[in-house]
Structures are given as structure tokens and as C-alpha cells.
Amino acid sequence: MKKTALSEPADTTSRRGRPRSERARLAILQAAADLLLDQGGGQVSMDAVADRAGVSKATIYRWWPSRERLALDALLEWLSAGSPPRDTGTLRGDLLALVRPWVRDARRRQFGRVIAALIAEAQSDPGFAADYRRHFIEQRREPMQAAFARAIDRGEVPADLDIEVALDLVYGAIYHRILQGHAPLTDRFAQQVVDLLLNGILHRDRARGT
Amino acid sequence: MKKTALSEPADTTSRRGRPRSERARLAILQAAADLLLDQGGGQVSMDAVADRAGVSKATIYRWWPSRERLALDALLEWLSAGSPPRDTGTLRGDLLALVRPWVRDARRRQFGRVIAALIAEAQSDPGFAADYRRHFIEQRREPMQAAFARAIDRGEVPADLDIEVALDLVYGAIYHRILQGHAPLTDRFAQQVVDLLLNGILHRDRARGT
Amino acid sequence: MKKTALSEPADTTSRRGRPRSERARLAILQAAADLLLDQGGGQVSMDAVADRAGVSKATIYRWWPSRERLALDALLEWLSAGSPPRDTGTLRGDLLALVRPWVRDARRRQFGRVIAALIAEAQSDPGFAADYRRHFIEQRREPMQAAFARAIDRGEVPADLDIEVALDLVYGAIYHRILQGHAPLTDRFAQQVVDLLLNGILHRDRARGT
Amino acid sequence: MKKTALSEPADTTSRRGRPRSERARLAILQAAADLLLDQGGGQVSMDAVADRAGVSKATIYRWWPSRERLALDALLEWLSAGSPPRDTGTLRGDLLALVRPWVRDARRRQFGRVIAALIAEAQSDPGFAADYRRHFIEQRREPMQAAFARAIDRGEVPADLDIEVALDLVYGAIYHRILQGHAPLTDRFAQQVVDLLLNGILHRDRARGT
DNA sequence: TCGTAACCGAGACGGTACGTCTGGTCTTTTT
DNA sequence: AAAAAGACCAGACGTACCGTCTCGGTTACGA
């Protein structure tokens, strides 16, 4: 299913009048995505999108309520080839399978800028925050929650583990590097994060390597 | 050390000309901090600050190159009562001593908005990003790095621990909750993060491979 | 012909998009004219005009490139009730018919200030100078040139008269009093100027009345 | 006597304290004159003069009350080599002797701009207007008034001639060309103005050459 | 001789206005 | 009905000067 977009006008079962131009819709999303990933979040002005898409500003505002909503939609369209979650048999395998593609996406062009702009907007627009969390955050947390649940079923981890906290450690660390940029975001880093979370950092009673 | 501000005129040993008005400086920082923490990052317009501080825009621009630099400076001034790092004797104690005050600061009024706005700006202004990291990120990482180093000295954790990754797990998790707002940021959460990092999440009882 | 204004959008045969608001145009010109003639040329700040007209500055700048262009346009609108040139049958009558209304206009409120400000601006803005001359200077010179031409046809003055110089004597004297203000600008003065120009100041050999 | 300047501090008979720096005074006047005649009247900002003269703004304001006063003073200093009025024996000779040097001065670099700016300022500053007229206008009218008086004594022109109007015709025409710039200001023009004024433009009974 | 009054440089300060830009809305004509 | 065009209001942006002020340092008179 392609259209998870936010631009649906409520219900659209009534079919009166001129139908919506698919050409315009795609041009707008494409222009927005280009601007997002080339110039960064701050450059997605409605004027710029309208200009680049050959579309009038009013047309954009008819379907998207704000710049950020459009940016989110464009980004979702662009990311939509999401990896289907896999069951590798071990928690470590599952986590790496989930984390690595995300790390690779996040390393792209101006991804940090885009995410940062979305987060910033989410701080002051509750409506947008809800959409953002649902489409961006929860969508990635859910498969990882399932992986943890499977690990509990397998007896790999204690049943009283607070899964939410564990998720925050994994995604938090990755987001931290994306946003703060104090150190590079590598595959090796992703692996280190997973291993540190699984094993902890304290010495064990008996010799146990990382 | 009090004045870590960004508005210092280099060195100022030459004392020619009218001296800078401390009154104006404080009024500006206060006004900026108020606006930041009351309305959120996006409301710190230069006009608003100038108006509220009873100061001319030109005076602000003489000392701060941009809105964001001013916001950062105001925030640093506001946070300046930093807790001096303590040595509690255990890594767990040290981490909690560092993390808890930060969590409490971060829970305040519109802190998330402010941080988010600063991060967003740092994405596209390298000069600002450098200042932001130096004054905001590194300043908090350093005492925690020292805590980890002490733990290694004590033999509490393996000497080959990658401290940077450990830091990212702790601060990343906290920042994640600050910014994404998907779950509350409590003292209990801070403790869970520390314990999970220290002990890992895997069962300990029996022999366990990686 | 009413609209000699400078704010015409070239040709505008294409009628796409929202049409220009005549209400805004008139409000701007009225506000500018009021400020011009009440406070004098220097007080026509764009902010003041925008404020008084209840219009955004951007709207003004869309149609007028500069404060001075706007001032000129407002003044032309205000003066537009121009006297149609008359043929009185004698050069003296024609000149007086042309000069007297101009003298009366020029005696109004802060006319000198306004003209002086326009002239000052014309010195350093060639584009504005062209408009200024075309709409302000030439518009008044042309009917007087015609009057002189008719006088030559009638044999009233020599055919080799340099009309331009004669015009400069008449209008120069009037402008001089407007701008320098060293003596009052009266109807009597206008008549003296005309008579002096017509008869010269040297004694005539034999009796010749004024 | 060289110093007709406006910057005299009242009376200055008390000679206490540091005497005024002649070096600074000259640097300021020179800088102002340079800016006036190179860039035109509008560019004589106090900051620019202070900068170019290597002097503090406060020093300028201590001796000159405003930008325009300084500009006038600088210009007078620059023009000071005034031609002493001559008696050539005929009115025509006297007028040409007075008008020609003035025309040559006026043709220089940015003279029009400078005069226009002074006139514009004089419209709204009565104090400045008085100085301007005294030093600029009257200074040039007086010798011409004397020339006309001599012509009346000689019986060259009627005793009831209104000299002020005659002066306005001559100077008005020249100023008109300086300020409006609709036609060049040549020596020939000056001569035409004088001759037209002397002889009038109407046909005479008998042949009389220009 | 030496205090002191006036000067000078530097430059920060509160202001005003500039001209530009973007966001979001509104009003037409065209499809 | 929807799209395209584009005018509109609102208001922040960063800059340039204004004229005032507070300094510290420097003359050169006059007690």
C-alpha cells in the first residue's frame, strides 16, 4: 500500500467537480522531498515548493495544513520502502536487523537537518507531534517491541524487562548521534550499542567477552 | 567560573571607549531566557527581546551575531548553577549524581522546545553547531567521561569499554524522551537507564554466549 | 487622462490572478500626500505611509520602487486638476495664465519642502530624475513653449528667440523664490517676472510703455 | 579674512584648558568637502566624516550642530576664493563678470547634489535656512545689487526697477539649470540670460542687436 | 610647577527607518 | 470544483545612521 500520506481530504467519497490532480500532488511531494534532502529542513518554504513544483501556493495549502506536515509527508513517501521486520531467532540478530537499515537511511544527505526540523516543530504543534510520533517514532518502535517480546518468550531476557526503556536506549543513542553530530554514525556504532545494551558494562563474575 | 558566555569581546584589555553596559547585557539575557522558557524557542525574535529588555536591536546585534547564539547564551546563563561533579565511589552513584540534576533541569517549562530549536539550528549553521556542542554537549559529557575513567581505574568496568558509546546510551536515552515526548522523563527513568546500561538486559544466571 | 501615475504594471493585458486592490492604491497615495503636505518631504517614511494607509510595507514596495517615487506619484495625483492651457491672444496673457495657477499651487502648505526633497533625490537617482523631469518639469514647460511658438507666429517676438532660455527665466525665478524663500511668492511677483522678461530692463530710446 | 566659518564657539576669550585642535578642524572640513563633492550631499554621514577624518563623532558634534551645518561650512571653505566684484563700466559687463565665475563653480563635480541637499534641509530647519541664505544666497546677491545700483546711477536702467526681481531672474535661471538638469549650464547660457533680461524679448521699434 | 579645565579618541547606547523576506490568506480567471 | 496566478496583511529580518553618553588620556593655561 503506497498511500500512507497525510494529504487525504477527510473522506473523499463524494466525487463531484474536478478531480484532484495527481500530477500536482506528486510534483509537490517530489519538490518538497528534493528541497528537504538537498538543502535541509529549513529551506522547505511553501514558496520554494510551489515554485519548484510549478504549482500555486493555494493548491498546497488546500491539501496540507502546514509546511511541516508537507515535509513529513514527503519524507514518508521517500522512505516508504521500509524493511519488513524479520525474525532472526536471537534478540541480537533482530535488533541489528532493525537498526542497521535505519542507520543507513539516517546517514543520508541532510537527514539530520530534516529530522531536527520535524522534532523542533513537534515541540510546539501538538497536532503535528501526534502525526510525527505515529508515523515516525511508533512505526519504528513497534517491530522492535515485538522483537523484545519474542526474546522474553524465548527466555532470552527477563520477563520484567521494561521494554520501553530498552527501546529508548537503542534509538536514543542513534538519534543522539544523528542530531548532535559529535561523532560519526557507523554500522559499528549500531553494533556497539546493541551489545552494550545486551551485556551491560559491568564486569561479570566469570570471564565474558563483549 | 561564571562567565562562559559567548558575547565576550575577545580579550578587552584595552579600555577605550564607553564601557559595555552590564545592565543592558543582563536585561537582554533575562528577556531572552524568559521568552525561551515561556513561549518556546520559536518566539525569541530579536524584536521581542529588544522590546522586552528595553534595549535597541542594534545593541543586541553588537554582541550576539544571531538569534540562536543569543538563545544559547541566555540558556547557559540560566543553567549556570551547574552541579559540581562528585565522586561517590561507585560508577552507579556517579552516573545518577550526574544524570538526575540534568533530568530535573530538562523537565522544566518548555525546555524541550528550546533544545529542539537549538539542535535544529545547529544542523545548518556549522559555526553555531561548534559553540552549541562545546558549551552544551561536551560540558556534560566531560564529567561523565571522568566518572567512567575512575570506574576503569577501580576495576569496576573493563578497560576496553568504549566510553563514548556508553555516554551516548545514557544521554541519548534522556534526550530521546526530552525531544520525542513519547513517554515521561522521570527520575525513575533515569535510574532505569543507568541500571540497564550497567547490567545489560540478558539473563545472567547461566552461561551465556554473546 | 487621469492615470499618469508611475505605478502602472507595464501593460497588464493578462488578467490572471487576484487583481490589484484599488482601495489599497488610493489609501497609499492619500496617506503619502497627506504626510507630504502636512509634515513635509522628509517625513514620508514608508513605515508611516504603511501605517496610515492600513497597508503592509510589502504592498507599497510591490508598486513603487522607492519613497521618492511614491512621493512624486502622490503629488501628481494631488495636483492632477491641471489647468488646461489657454490661448489669450497675447504672449503676456498666455504667460500669466500659465504662471499664476502654478504660483498658487506652489504657495500651498509645505510645497517648497516637497519640491526640494524631490529635487534633492533627483540629483543622485538618474532613474527618478527622468521621471521627475518628465512628469513635473516638462509637463509645465510644454504649454509655455507652445505659447512662445504662437507669439512667434504672430510676430510678437523675434523668430530667433531661444525659447528654452526664456522658459528658464520665468520658471527659474519662480522656483528660486519657492526654494530659497528669501522673498515672498506673490501674484504680483509673477507679473513682474513676465513684464521684465518681455520688455527687458534697459531704457528704451523713445517712449514705450510697459 | 579667511574664517567665515560657522564653527566659532561664541566668543572664546577665555583661554583655559586645552586649545582646540586645528588639525582636527581641518581634517573634518576636508573630509566633509571630499565626501560632499565626490559622493554628493546624501553621503555626508557623520559616521563617514568621523571615520575619514580620523576623528570621533563627539568632536564633530562639539563644533557643528548638524550634518548640514558642517556641509555648508565645508563648502564655504572650499569656495572661499571668491572673485572680488569688479566695476566694468556697463551693467552687462558687471553682470557677466559676476555670473560667469559662479557658473563655472556650479558646473563642478557634484555641485548640484550638494546645493540640492542644502536647499532641502533649509526647507525644514529655519536656523539652518538663515545661515544658508546669509552665507550662500545674500553673499552673491549683494555685489549684483550694487551693480544694478551703479547702473541706475549711470542712468542705464530706470530708477524704479525692482532690483530683487531682476536678481531672481538671473540667479533663478542659473539655479534652475543646476538643479533641474534639463539642459546644460554653459557660459553661453549665462550670456543669453543676461542679454534677455537686459533687452527683453519683444520686438523693438528699431533694430537692436542682441 | 602643577592642578585643572577643556579637548580629543573611542565606542556603546536607545532610537528610527530602511528595504527584503516568508508565511498564510484571499480573490480572481482558467480548466 | 479545483488549479493557477498572484495580490494582500503581518511582522521579523539585519543594516545604517542618528545624536547622546561615558570613559581614559592629553594638552597647555594660569594660580
Side-chain angles (χ1 to χ4, degrees):
Chain A
M1 180 59 187
K2 188 69 178 302
K3 277 198 189 178
T4 55
L6 306 170
S7 62
E8 303 315 302
D11 200 346
T12 327
T13 46
S14 68
R15 283 276 162 237
R16 301 248 301 162
R18 178 176 176 176
R20 177 171 183 189
S21 157
E22 184 67 9
R23 200 188 132 285
R25 183 182 150 272
L26 288 176
I28 291 168
L29 287 172
Q30 187 61 49
D34 288 354
L35 290 169
L36 268 178
L37 296 160
D38 286 354
Q39 265 82 34
Q43 302 307 310
V44 192
S45 77
M46 290 308 222
D47 292 80
V49 172
D51 196 43
R52 179 184 258 259
V55 140
S56 119
K57 273 202 297 176
T59 303
I60 306 180
Y61 278 106
R62 191 184 310 278
W63 301 106
W64 287 273
S66 74
R67 180 182 23 171
E68 279 74 21
R69 252 0 194 271
L70 170 59
L72 176 56
D73 213 358
L75 200 57
L76 290 175
E77 195 89 356
W78 187 76
L79 285 178
S80 57
S83 50
R86 286 176 286 159
D87 182 350
T88 64
T90 67
L91 178 56
R92 187 172 189 272
D94 283 0
L95 293 182
L96 288 176
L98 286 163
V99 147
R100 277 187 173 135
W102 174 234
V103 161
R104 272 173 212 145
D105 269 354
R107 209 155 40 207
R108 302 217 194 178
R109 287 190 284 177
Q110 305 284 349
F111 211 82
R113 292 190 185 191
V114 178
I115 302 283
L118 295 180
I119 291 173
E121 175 60 16
Q123 304 304 315
S124 44
D125 179 344
F128 175 71
D131 272 342
Y132 166 73
R133 271 178 217 134
R134 185 154 50 90
H135 292 285
F136 231 82
I137 303 300
E138 296 306 333
Q139 202 178 10
R140 288 206 154 63
R141 289 176 80 89
E142 271 165 22
M144 198 179 282
Q145 285 163 341
F148 275 106
R150 288 195 301 272
I152 289 175
D153 284 348
R154 283 192 301 261
E156 221 178 333
V157 301
D160 65 348
L161 172 71
D162 191 326
I163 294 180
E164 293 304 313
V165 178
L167 288 174
D168 286 341
L169 281 165
V170 178
Y171 277 126
I174 294 170
Y175 267 100
H176 205 50
R177 289 229 168 159
I178 293 176
L179 295 175
Q180 314 292 4
H182 56 288
L185 181 64
T186 59
D187 272 5
R188 176 170 152 70
F189 172 72
Q191 184 203 304
Q192 286 178 299
V193 166
V194 168
D195 285 333
L196 224 45
L197 173 65
L198 293 178
N199 299 315
I201 62 177
L202 296 184
H203 272 303
R204 302 300 169 112
D205 299 335
R206 30 198 99 191
R208 296 225 284 80
T210 326
Chain B
M1 181 60 188
K2 186 69 178 305
K3 280 200 186 176
T4 55
L6 306 171
S7 63
E8 301 315 301
D11 198 347
T12 325
T13 46
S14 71
R15 283 268 160 243
R16 303 260 289 175
R18 177 176 178 174
R20 179 173 183 187
S21 157
E22 185 65 8
R23 202 186 132 286
R25 185 184 147 266
L26 287 176
I28 292 167
L29 288 172
Q30 187 61 50
D34 287 354
L35 290 169
L36 269 178
L37 296 161
D38 285 355
Q39 266 83 34
Q43 300 308 309
V44 192
S45 78
M46 290 308 222
D47 290 79
V49 172
D51 198 42
R52 178 184 257 260
V55 141
S56 134
K57 271 203 297 176
T59 302
I60 304 180
Y61 277 107
R62 192 185 308 279
W63 301 106
W64 289 275
S66 73
R67 187 180 16 180
E68 281 76 22
R69 259 347 202 273
L70 170 58
L72 175 55
D73 214 357
L75 203 55
L76 290 175
E77 196 87 356
W78 188 76
L79 288 176
S80 59
S83 50
R86 286 177 286 162
D87 183 350
T88 64
T90 66
L91 178 56
R92 187 169 187 275
D94 284 358
L95 293 183
L96 288 175
L98 285 165
V99 147
R100 277 184 174 139
W102 173 233
V103 161
R104 272 171 212 147
D105 270 353
R107 208 154 42 203
R108 304 221 196 170
R109 286 188 283 177
Q110 304 284 349
F111 209 82
R113 293 191 186 189
V114 178
I115 303 281
L118 294 181
I119 290 174
E121 175 60 17
Q123 306 303 315
S124 45
D125 179 343
F128 175 69
D131 271 340
Y132 166 74
R133 267 174 221 140
R134 186 151 51 88
H135 291 286
F136 229 82
I137 303 300
E138 296 305 332
Q139 202 178 6
R140 289 209 150 63
R141 290 176 79 88
E142 272 166 21
M144 199 178 281
Q145 286 164 343
F148 276 105
R150 287 196 301 270
I152 290 175
D153 283 349
R154 283 192 300 260
E156 222 178 334
V157 301
D160 63 347
L161 171 71
D162 190 325
I163 294 178
E164 294 303 314
V165 177
L167 287 174
D168 286 341
L169 281 165
V170 178
Y171 277 125
I174 295 170
Y175 267 100
H176 204 51
R177 289 230 167 157
I178 294 175
L179 295 175
Q180 314 292 4
H182 56 287
L185 181 63
T186 61
D187 272 5
R188 179 170 150 68
F189 173 71
Q191 184 202 302
Q192 287 178 299
V193 165
V194 168
D195 284 335
L196 225 44
L197 172 66
L198 292 179
N199 299 314
I201 62 177
L202 296 184
H203 272 303
R204 301 278 170 135
D205 302 335
R206 39 199 91 193
R208 295 187 296 79
T210 327
Chain C
M1 179 59 185
K2 185 69 180 304
K3 280 199 187 177
T4 56
L6 306 170
S7 62
E8 301 315 300
D11 198 348
T12 324
T13 46
S14 70
R15 282 270 161 241
R16 303 257 295 172
R18 179 177 179 174
R20 179 172 182 186
S21 158
E22 185 66 8
R23 201 186 133 287
R25 183 183 149 268
L26 288 176
I28 291 167
L29 287 171
Q30 188 60 50
D34 288 353
L35 290 169
L36 268 178
L37 296 160
D38 285 354
Q39 267 83 34
Q43 301 308 308
V44 192
S45 76
M46 290 308 224
D47 290 80
V49 172
D51 197 43
R52 180 184 256 259
V55 142
S56 135
K57 271 202 296 176
T59 302
I60 304 180
Y61 278 107
R62 189 184 309 281
W63 300 106
W64 288 276
S66 73
R67 183 181 19 177
E68 281 76 21
R69 247 8 190 265
L70 171 58
L72 175 55
D73 214 358
L75 202 56
L76 291 174
E77 196 88 355
W78 187 76
L79 287 177
S80 59
S83 50
R86 286 175 287 162
D87 183 350
T88 64
T90 67
L91 178 55
R92 187 170 187 273
D94 284 358
L95 293 183
L96 288 174
L98 285 165
V99 148
R100 278 187 174 135
W102 173 232
V103 161
R104 271 171 213 146
D105 269 353
R107 209 156 39 207
R108 302 219 195 173
R109 286 189 283 179
Q110 304 285 347
F111 210 82
R113 293 191 185 189
V114 178
I115 303 283
L118 294 181
I119 290 173
E121 174 59 17
Q123 305 303 315
S124 43
D125 179 343
F128 174 69
D131 271 340
Y132 166 75
R133 269 175 220 137
R134 185 152 50 89
H135 292 285
F136 230 82
I137 303 301
E138 295 305 332
Q139 202 178 7
R140 290 208 151 62
R141 289 176 81 87
E142 272 165 23
M144 198 179 281
Q145 286 164 341
F148 276 105
R150 287 195 302 271
I152 290 175
D153 284 349
R154 285 192 299 260
E156 222 178 333
V157 302
D160 65 347
L161 170 71
D162 191 325
I163 294 178
E164 294 303 314
V165 178
L167 287 174
D168 287 340
L169 282 164
V170 178
Y171 278 125
I174 295 170
Y175 267 101
H176 205 51
R177 290 230 167 158
I178 293 175
L179 295 175
Q180 313 293 3
H182 56 288
L185 180 63
T186 61
D187 272 6
R188 179 171 150 68
F189 172 72
Q191 185 203 303
Q192 287 178 299
V193 166
V194 167
D195 285 334
L196 225 45
L197 173 65
L198 293 178
N199 299 314
I201 63 176
L202 295 184
H203 271 303
R204 303 299 169 113
D205 298 337
R206 21 204 104 182
R208 297 226 282 78
T210 322
Chain D
M1 180 59 186
K2 186 71 176 304
K3 279 198 187 175
T4 57
L6 305 171
S7 62
E8 302 315 301
D11 199 346
T12 326
T13 45
S14 69
R15 283 273 160 240
R16 297 256 298 167
R18 178 178 179 174
R20 178 174 182 186
S21 157
E22 185 65 9
R23 201 187 132 284
R25 184 183 149 268
L26 288 176
I28 291 167
L29 287 172
Q30 188 60 50
D34 288 353
L35 290 169
L36 269 179
L37 296 159
D38 285 354
Q39 265 82 36
Q43 302 308 310
V44 192
S45 78
M46 290 308 221
D47 290 79
V49 172
D51 197 43
R52 180 184 255 258
V55 140
S56 123
K57 272 201 296 177
T59 302
I60 304 180
Y61 278 106
R62 191 185 309 276
W63 302 106
W64 288 274
S66 73
R67 183 182 22 173
E68 280 75 21
R69 258 350 201 273
L70 171 58
L72 176 56
D73 213 358
L75 200 57
L76 291 175
E77 195 89 355
W78 188 75
L79 287 177
S80 59
S83 51
R86 287 176 285 162
D87 182 351
T88 64
T90 66
L91 179 56
R92 186 172 189 272
D94 284 359
L95 293 182
L96 289 175
L98 285 164
V99 146
R100 278 184 173 138
W102 173 233
V103 161
R104 273 172 210 144
D105 269 353
R107 207 155 41 206
R108 304 217 194 175
R109 286 189 283 176
Q110 304 284 347
F111 211 83
R113 292 190 186 190
V114 178
I115 303 282
L118 294 180
I119 290 173
E121 175 60 16
Q123 304 303 314
S124 44
D125 178 345
F128 175 70
D131 271 341
Y132 166 74
R133 271 176 217 136
R134 184 153 51 88
H135 292 285
F136 230 81
I137 303 299
E138 296 305 332
Q139 201 178 11
R140 287 205 156 63
R141 289 176 82 89
E142 271 165 22
M144 199 178 282
Q145 286 165 341
F148 275 106
R150 288 195 301 272
I152 289 175
D153 284 349
R154 283 191 301 262
E156 221 178 333
V157 300
D160 64 349
L161 171 71
D162 191 326
I163 294 180
E164 294 303 314
V165 178
L167 286 174
D168 286 340
L169 282 165
V170 179
Y171 278 126
I174 295 170
Y175 268 99
H176 205 51
R177 290 230 167 159
I178 293 176
L179 295 175
Q180 314 291 7
H182 57 287
L185 180 63
T186 61
D187 273 5
R188 177 170 152 69
F189 173 72
Q191 183 204 303
Q192 287 178 298
V193 166
V194 167
D195 285 333
L196 225 44
L197 173 65
L198 293 178
N199 298 315
I201 62 177
L202 296 183
H203 271 304
R204 303 299 169 113
D205 299 335
R206 39 193 88 192
R208 294 231 279 88
T210 327

